[in-house]
Amino acid sequence: MGEAAHRYDGTLPLEYRTQESRLNILGFWIFLGAEVALFATLFATYLVLFQRTGSGPTAGELFEVKDVLIETLLLLTSSFTCGLAIFEMRRGRLAGLLAWLLVTLLLGAGFITFEIREFIHYVHEGATMQTSAFLSSFFVLVGTHGAHVSLGIGWMILIIIQLLQRGFTPKTARKVFIVSLYWHFLDVVWIFIFTLVYLLGMVI
Amino acid sequence: MKWSEFFVTGEPLIYAADVAIVLTMVGIVFVLTYFKKWKWLWNEWLTTVDHKKIGVMYIICAVLMLFRGGVDALLMRAQLTAPNMKFLDAQHYNEIFTTHGTIMILFMAMPFIIGLMNIVVPLQIGARDVAFPYLNALSFWLFFFGALLFNISFVIGGSPDAGWTAYFPLAGNEFSHGVGNNYYAVALQISGIGTLMTGINFLVTILKMRAPGMTLMRMPMFTWTILITCVLIIFAFPVLTVALALMTFDRIFGTQFFTMANGGMSMLWANLFWIWGHPEVYIVILPSFGIFSEVVSTFAQKRLFGYKAMVGSIVGIAFLSFIVWVHHFFTMGAGPAVNSAFSITTMAIAIPTGVKIFNWLFTIRKGKIRFTTAMLWSLAFIPNFVIGGVTGVMLAMAAADYQYHNSYFLIAHFHYVLIAGTVFACFAGLHYWYPKMFGHILNERLGKWTFWLFMIGFNICFFPMYFLGLMGMTRRMYTYSADLGWTPLNVVATVGAALMGIGFIVLCYNIYYSARYGERDMTGDPWNGRTLEWATASPPVHYNFPVTPVVEDLDAYWVMKKKYGGFQVKEEDLKPIHMPSNSGRPFWMSVAFFVAGFGLVFKWFALAIVGALFIVLGLILRSFEDDDGYYIPVDEIKRMERAARKGA
């Protein structure tokens, strides 16, 4: 820390202006690196286990295309609206930022709702995470992503409250920026889930 | 669950431990109350975000865990001294080798290294703290309560008993019914999260907070090894996180990842465990290489030989460490092609490691060597570690490994690298940086006693194990029959273990003796050091540097001393210093992790949810916190500097 921590650079975007913010943003990028390793491990586990269905259903028998497509559309759109939110922040428009964050949040909540519906549907079909190694790895991989999205929604709500209380400050701007990094990251993970879990599951 | 299942019963050793734990706790409470130290404990230690104090706490825990793991080791040696011993039964022996391994790696070696890096790295790069001081405190307390959770298992519920590698299906519900392996999964998870955050924290610290002029290639070698270690942590620990989470799901929620039926695959655990586990070995050995580099260079009074080759070989070792994991289970049937590939990558690690050995030797060559205790540990490291390394190359040959696999030959090998590498480094680092931590020097005479007792004891204990392994003695067997002919070497090994134990006791006495009578370090630079940590007072004032030092070359402080006669601070250059505020939240959030973890271990989900809610509450409070720290005014800095430097 020290005076270095408050070294202020007015030429940078708001979220990058203090040294503390720059450290936080770099730290968060590195954290995302660790998250990549985490999800990579889960994907590897899934790919090792997904044909080991025991006496339970196979991926092809189980997956609901319609729900998954709706989830995908909702989450991909939310990533776009999240980008718009940052765009509004860079233009210094608090109302625009808040509006797009709210849209992002609702789309995320919609995604989670459909995912929970999908999971409940599978469980009703008798496909629980205890049924087979395939289903254990499926529920843990997709569920970990879902838990991340849920956490992101809670986090975004906290930041929206802080934006309403404090307006634009280097600190709130930095928080918005970091949550947006997180949100885009989850979107990328979902693209891999969509491809490697659902598409692959329906082909093989 | 009945109370008789909740508390471990039936063993006199356990009852003795129960009594000892209760007496110790009563004793601590009494001392704190009698001397009115509760407030001091809270304000100075439990809520601190100062990297130096956090480092000291890490090291205190590591020494305590060295005691615990060492007692486990002595119990095992006692049981194996003679054939057909009845000292420990098979189950108790299983528990003891499991906790010995887990504690020594994760709760002794790791915190010792992380403690030293906490104390030293910010000082070496001329920073005032780490990038995220609050997170640093949280890392420590998560480690602390993870270790606590793991350690209470031997009196509450029963210890894990499936080995420190916890291989499935043995560690699964089918073969391990108790809560022991739940403790393993949950406690390691909690402290592992702390370690991951430490990795991120120090990577940002080293990348972004170096003093002006300190380019990457002017960083002290210890800082370099920590930088690379952080990268290893960041990419290896998430794999452990996932592996442990899957284990938790299997054991507590009945999933089928590693089970015997319904498609589960127990080998997947072995792969995940070692994809983390092998880099983990380098996470504890690379910083050790860094410590030896600093010590050798200081006490040979020469610049480190082959600095660039040293950096290159650290990076090389780190890269290779991720592609060797299969060598831990050559015998599990991956086939000749896979085994050959991993055999070659494993042997390749010997090349950069050999480069480093020669660099240390050339640093010593023609140096004006001072045989301090720290230097003795470093000099002893070289031949002992080479023995461990060469037998490692023997083990790396897959075909030959079928003979050695899981024999005492392997036990001897990894103790030669982990003790002669990491433990020697921890002791070297402790003696070397002790004055920086506490302001006084560890007594050199007692230090040398520790060194000779421990180093000779270590060789007497582990060298015979190579031969025991070749004679057929396998790992984890709790007793053996007399006609196998293993008795004489086992007696020798136990004598060696006892010598190591005596060495440890001398070290503990030395800590006490030096605190009372040890030589005070008034200069801040007792060893004629080369790097920036010696430019501060001993112990450093909590802001470390009154003004940020400017680095002109490698061995920054050495250059300063030669050019300017030391680190020159002009009072007119002083500016108010910004420092982070203390916080009690990392402490109580980690308590919440402990409570949640304890609930999970016993499947008391209501308790687990209560703990989890407090964790979430802590996160929310942190998010809304608007604390920008505080400034130390210039007059205050002047006053503190004069107080710290009055002896110089």
Side-chain angles (χ1 to χ4, degrees):
Chain A
M1 296 291 279
E3 68 267 56
H6 286 241
R7 219 180 289 141
Y8 189 85
D9 186 344
T11 61
L12 293 167
L14 192 57
E15 66 271 19
Y16 278 105
R17 278 186 199 166
T18 67
Q19 170 80 355
E20 195 190 350
S21 291
R22 293 194 287 272
L23 293 178
N24 276 319
I25 291 169
L26 177 67
F28 197 79
W29 274 110
I30 295 169
F31 169 75
L32 289 182
E35 287 269 68
V36 168
L38 183 133
F39 275 102
T41 313
L42 284 171
F43 276 111
T45 303
Y46 177 79
L47 291 176
V48 167
L49 295 177
F50 90 103
Q51 284 178 311
R52 301 171 71 98
T53 51
S55 52
T58 63
E61 290 162 5
L62 192 68
F63 291 149
E64 288 286 330
V65 189
K66 204 182 94 191
D67 280 10
V68 177
L69 268 178
I70 296 171
E71 282 162 39
T72 307
L73 280 175
L74 286 173
L75 200 67
L76 294 196
T77 315
S78 83
S79 203
F80 177 64
T81 56
C82 186
L84 291 178
I86 298 300
F87 179 70
E88 291 292 315
M89 181 171 86
R90 290 265 168 94
R91 294 210 302 179
R93 290 172 45 169
L94 186 60
L97 168 66
L98 283 168
W100 285 119
L101 276 185
L102 206 64
V103 174
T104 307
L105 208 139
L106 290 174
L107 288 167
F111 167 84
I112 286 294
T113 314
F114 273 91
E115 185 162 73
I116 290 172
R117 259 182 45 155
E118 185 199 338
F119 279 13
I120 289 173
H121 173 73
Y122 296 156
V123 171
H124 276 303
E125 304 244 308
T128 68
M129 66 192 291
Q130 287 84 12
T131 308
S132 67
F134 153 60
L135 286 165
S136 300
S137 57
F138 166 78
F139 278 110
V140 169
L141 167 60
V142 183
T144 303
H145 176 266
H148 273 78
V149 175
S150 310
L151 190 91
I153 291 171
W155 185 6
M156 228 180 249
I157 292 172
L158 297 181
I159 291 172
I160 289 175
I161 296 171
Q162 287 170 36
L163 279 173
L164 290 171
Q165 285 174 343
R166 301 170 195 172
F168 275 135
T169 67
K171 222 178 194 177
T172 52
R174 178 242 298 165
K175 288 184 181 195
V176 172
F177 186 74
I178 287 178
V179 84
S180 81
L181 291 179
Y182 180 76
W183 200 261
H184 293 308
F185 168 74
L186 293 181
D187 195 53
V188 173
V189 173
W190 181 258
I191 290 171
F192 280 92
I193 289 182
F194 184 72
T195 320
L196 291 176
V197 176
Y198 292 105
L199 288 187
L200 197 67
M202 280 178 271
V203 175
I204 297 177
Chain B
M1 174 171 273
K2 294 189 227 69
W3 285 110
S4 62
E5 285 172 25
F6 185 72
F7 290 109
V8 176
T9 54
E11 284 262 2
L13 280 172
I14 298 289
Y15 294 131
D18 288 337
V19 173
I21 290 169
V22 172
L23 286 179
T24 311
M25 277 168 27
V26 170
I28 290 171
V29 171
F30 175 78
V31 167
L32 286 171
T33 313
Y34 185 80
F35 291 103
K36 299 195 171 70
K37 288 288 188 187
W38 283 104
K39 205 170 174 185
W40 165 83
L41 181 70
W42 178 258
N43 289 333
E44 295 290 319
W45 296 96
L46 303 191
T47 60
T48 189
V49 292
D50 180 343
H51 68 97
K52 300 177 288 297
K53 286 184 174 169
I54 289 172
V56 167
M57 290 194 287
Y58 266 117
I59 289 174
I60 292 170
C61 291
V63 173
L64 288 174
M65 289 294 101
L66 182 59
F67 172 73
R68 160 82 209 265
V71 170
D72 284 347
L74 290 173
L75 290 174
M76 285 191 284
R77 280 320 314 166
Q79 167 65 19
L80 292 176
T81 310
N84 299 313
M85 288 278 280
K86 299 279 186 289
F87 178 58
L88 301 171
D89 62 29
Q91 173 61 24
H92 200 175
Y93 191 82
N94 289 349
E95 293 178 9
I96 285 178
F97 70 65
T98 303
T99 52
H100 167 76
T102 314
I103 285 175
M104 283 302 201
I105 295 279
L106 284 146
F107 300 130
M108 190 285 287
M110 290 288 288
F112 218 127
I113 296 289
I114 293 179
L116 290 173
M117 88 192 215
N118 257 285
I119 293 162
V120 176
V121 166
L123 293 173
Q124 278 198 335
I125 62 173
R128 295 224 161 93
D129 208 321
V130 294
F132 314 116
Y134 173 93
L135 191 68
N136 201 22
L138 187 60
S139 289
F140 169 74
W141 289 110
L142 284 177
F143 149 72
F144 178 87
F145 282 102
L148 189 66
L149 188 63
F150 189 85
N151 273 277
I152 61 167
S153 68
F154 85 111
V155 289
I156 296 176
S159 296
D161 54 2
W164 91 278
T165 52
Y167 278 161
F168 280 80
L170 178 61
N173 282 330
E174 291 137 308
F175 298 101
S176 296
H177 305 292
V179 294
N181 286 293
N182 297 354
Y183 271 115
Y184 177 95
V186 176
L188 263 57
Q189 187 71 283
I190 293 173
S191 59
I193 297 168
T195 307
L196 178 60
M197 296 194 301
T198 299
I200 296 172
N201 206 341
F202 278 80
L203 185 56
V204 177
T205 306
I206 295 172
L207 288 178
K208 284 285 180 189
M209 295 173 70
R210 298 190 308 277
M214 185 178 281
T215 56
L216 283 175
M217 293 311 273
R218 283 181 187 167
M219 287 197 313
M221 191 47 63
F222 180 66
T223 300
W224 250 115
T225 58
I226 296 299
L227 176 75
I228 300 301
T229 301
C230 288
V231 176
L232 288 181
I233 289 176
I234 289 159
F235 288 106
F237 265 76
V239 183
L240 179 72
T241 303
V242 170
L244 291 171
L246 303 188
M247 184 187 201
T248 311
F249 273 111
D250 260 18
R251 289 195 53 86
I252 296 176
F253 301 106
T255 53
Q256 310 286 351
F257 288 103
F258 312 123
T259 54
M260 300 290 279
N262 300 313
M265 190 195 264
S266 47
M267 275 306 296
L268 181 61
W269 166 267
N271 277 284
L272 291 179
F273 182 86
W274 284 114
I275 288 171
W276 161 76
H278 203 87
E280 163 68 12
V281 179
Y282 290 91
I283 290 168
V284 295
I285 202 70
L286 288 181
S288 307
F289 291 167
I291 294 168
F292 292 130
S293 301
E294 299 292 337
V295 170
V296 163
S297 158
T298 302
F299 294 115
Q301 311 192 61
K302 274 177 67 191
R303 178 167 285 195
L304 190 65
F305 183 88
Y307 178 91
K308 284 178 187 163
M310 217 60 152
V311 172
S313 50
I314 300 166
V315 175
I317 292 172
F319 171 75
L320 287 171
S321 77
F322 275 98
I323 50 171
V324 298
W325 79 91
V326 171
H327 72 217
H328 294 273
F329 40 89
F330 277 147
T331 57
M332 285 198 198
V338 172
N339 278 0
S340 306
F342 281 93
S343 224
I344 292 166
T345 52
T346 304
M347 288 185 218
I349 287 197
I351 299 167
T353 314
V355 169
K356 298 178 77 69
I357 297 279
F358 282 107
N359 281 336
W360 289 311
L361 292 175
F362 282 117
T363 309
I364 296 165
R365 184 174 173 266
K366 289 189 177 173
K368 288 193 224 82
I369 301 174
R370 285 176 291 162
F371 290 96
T372 58
T373 310
M375 186 62 168
L376 287 178
W377 285 113
S378 309
L379 293 176
F381 149 76
I382 295 175
N384 283 301
F385 189 81
V386 167
I387 296 173
V390 169
T391 51
V393 177
M394 290 170 72
L395 284 157
M397 293 183 269
D401 180 66
Y402 275 73
Q403 293 299 316
Y404 318 125
H405 185 78
N406 270 5
S407 73
Y408 264 74
F409 190 87
L410 168 80
I411 301 284
H413 154 69
F414 72 68
H415 283 89
Y416 261 87
V417 284
L418 282 171
I419 295 182
T422 304
V423 177
F424 283 19
C426 290
F427 288 157
L430 188 70
H431 279 86
Y432 182 56
W433 283 306
Y434 205 83
K436 199 47 56 189
M437 297 177 217
F438 297 105
H440 59 267
I441 295 166
L442 272 179
N443 183 281
E444 280 286 304
R445 197 181 158 78
L446 286 169
K448 284 172 185 167
W449 269 100
T450 307
F451 167 74
W452 288 109
L453 282 166
F454 195 93
M455 201 274 289
I456 294 171
F458 158 72
N459 276 288
I460 295 177
C461 181
F462 290 101
F463 205 72
M465 289 187 190
Y466 283 119
F467 299 97
L468 281 170
L470 296 176
M471 288 160 80
M473 184 165 168
T474 55
R475 172 182 203 189
R476 291 168 180 160
M477 61 195 314
Y478 86 105
T479 193
Y480 54 93
S481 79
D483 52 4
L484 288 163
W486 299 343
T487 316
L489 288 179
N490 269 305
V491 172
V492 172
T494 304
V495 170
L499 283 179
M500 293 167 82
I502 296 168
F504 176 74
I505 292 170
V506 176
L507 173 72
C508 294
Y509 176 70
N510 193 1
I511 289 172
Y512 161 78
Y513 177 88
S514 304
R516 289 201 66 166
Y517 311 109
E519 185 192 330
R520 266 48 194 170
D521 170 32
M522 307 312 263
T523 60
D525 181 23
W527 312 120
N528 196 10
R530 312 177 73 82
T531 39
L532 280 176
E533 72 269 34
W534 306 109
T536 63
S538 287
V541 192
H542 72 289
Y543 50 74
N544 295 352
F545 298 93
V547 294
T548 306
V550 178
V551 174
E552 296 182 14
D553 199 354
L554 190 62
D555 292 337
Y557 185 49
W558 187 261
V559 175
M560 271 181 201
K561 283 193 281 192
K562 291 280 167 271
K563 267 190 164 167
Y564 312 108
F567 176 42
Q568 300 300 339
V569 179
K570 295 196 200 89
E571 288 202 335
E572 59 269 25
D573 291 344
L574 293 175
K575 288 191 196 96
I577 294 175
H578 177 261
M579 294 302 289
S581 310
N582 283 3
S583 172
R585 203 177 304 109
F587 179 80
W588 69 252
M589 268 180 79
S590 303
V591 173
F593 267 95
F594 178 86
V595 170
F598 192 79
L600 213 51
V601 166
F602 283 90
K603 301 193 196 179
W604 297 344
F605 295 119
L607 186 67
I609 290 168
V610 170
L613 286 176
F614 273 95
I615 297 169
V616 174
L617 177 69
L619 292 173
I620 293 174
L621 289 173
R622 171 65 177 169
S623 181
F624 278 93
E625 190 173 55
D626 205 6
D627 184 343
D628 285 324
Y630 62 96
Y631 280 89
I632 309 173
V634 172
D635 289 343
E636 181 75 5
I637 301 169
K638 282 183 189 162
R639 197 185 57 73
M640 287 169 126
E641 281 301 302
R642 283 181 202 133
R645 297 280 175 179
K646 64 178 179 291

